[in-house]
Amino acid sequence: MKLGLLALAAAAAADDNLPQVPYHARGGRTGFSMVPRSSYASQTMDVFLDMFCEDSKATWPTLKALAAKRPDVDIRIQLFPLPYNFGTWMPAQACTAAAMLTNSSATFVKCVDVMYSGTNQHDVKTLALVNGTTTDIIDALVALLAAPLGIPGDELRKNIESDMESGPPSYTFTKRSLKYGQSNGIFATPSVLLNGVQIYGADHDHDGVHAEGGWITMALADWEAMLDLPTGYPEF
């Protein structure tokens, strides 16, 4: 024990020689706000979604309603392509590219709307998981997204395609969103950071307990109760 304390003291005395690495390095906050805001938001909420995740799709309508009702909360969507959903990177980058080309978070929200509408998610996911090549997936995304988003197809394609070592700005921005989640311990979708702290869903059906995956069962009132803590669920 004494030797151990001496070693620590020596290390502290020579701290100039130690690597200057923070205890928990986190990526800078990125993502796209769900609604325009002209005033300071009292809270922040980051919601991590995957374009091929059915639970993410199920959560989307409630998130839109929450964003419209709560302008006091800066709700940002972070796309988090799950590695086991092969091909999900491409739609994530496509929506990011569309937002960057139009310089508008509203375009991003509309892109997610299109991806989650009808059978679009299922169709693109099936193509990616069964027998589609990267080119096939890009072709399908351009055909699906360009017209509704008001972006020329060739322009959207150019901002999705990447080479072996790099890609367009949307490639880097999509990586930033992914790494922001990873640096905060995100490993599944949907996941939530409230004011920078990862939390789990709570809903009335489960007696207000924390439960991974509870987000999809939460009604608008449940989300608002969470934002209004401690008045909503004082036991948290």
Side-chain angles (χ1 to χ4, degrees):
M1 174 66 75
K2 186 177 291 186
L3 288 175
L5 292 174
L6 289 174
L8 287 173
D15 62 347
D16 287 343
N17 296 321
L18 296 176
Q20 301 300 305
V21 179
Y23 176 69
H24 184 190
R26 287 186 170 94
R29 190 173 184 233
T30 180
F32 295 93
S33 293
M34 293 196 69
V35 296
R37 69 187 66 257
S38 57
S39 59
Y40 174 77
S42 60
Q43 297 192 78
T44 63
M45 188 167 76
D46 296 276
V47 184
F48 295 81
L49 303 178
D50 174 63
M51 301 305 285
F52 286 173
C53 170
E54 289 85 354
D55 288 349
S56 294
K57 177 180 177 180
T59 307
W60 182 244
T62 308
L63 288 174
K64 291 182 65 180
L66 181 67
K69 191 173 181 181
R70 296 298 298 261
D72 58 311
V73 183
D74 180 17
I75 303 175
R76 293 194 191 183
I77 299 301
Q78 311 280 356
L79 291 183
F80 193 79
L82 296 169
Y84 44 81
N85 272 346
F86 179 74
T88 191
W89 175 272
M90 305 310 300
Q93 187 179 342
C95 286
T96 301
M100 297 180 75
L101 285 170
T102 59
N103 194 30
S104 171
S105 289
T107 303
F108 174 84
V109 172
K110 186 173 183 179
C111 185
V112 178
D113 275 338
V114 175
M115 279 298 305
Y116 286 164
S117 294
T119 63
N120 291 340
Q121 181 195 61
H122 175 271
D123 295 343
V124 179
K125 182 176 181 178
T126 300
L127 176 67
L129 294 179
V130 178
N131 59 6
T133 65
T134 298
T135 301
D136 292 335
I137 300 169
I138 293 176
D139 288 344
L141 289 169
V142 170
L144 176 66
L145 300 173
L149 302 182
I151 300 172
D154 290 345
E155 191 71 13
L156 182 59
R157 181 187 306 277
K158 184 172 65 175
N159 282 273
I160 301 175
E161 294 176 337
S162 303
D163 58 27
M164 289 290 291
E165 299 296 335
S166 61
S170 61
Y171 176 77
T172 300
F173 198 93
T174 308
K175 283 201 302 183
R176 284 182 57 203
S177 189
L178 177 67
K179 291 179 179 180
Y180 174 63
Q182 291 171 334
S183 68
N184 281 277
I186 301 300
F187 58 87
T189 58
S191 289
V192 174
L193 298 179
L194 180 59
N195 299 320
V197 178
Q198 186 176 2
I199 58 176
Y200 292 107
D203 62 88
H204 298 310
D205 290 340
H206 293 87
D207 233 3
V209 300
H210 296 259
E212 182 187 355
W215 301 115
I216 61 172
T217 63
M218 285 173 64
L220 178 59
D222 296 311
W223 286 86
E224 288 202 274
M226 178 184 68
L227 293 174
D228 292 334
L229 295 175
T231 56
Y233 290 112
E235 71 271 21
F236 276 25

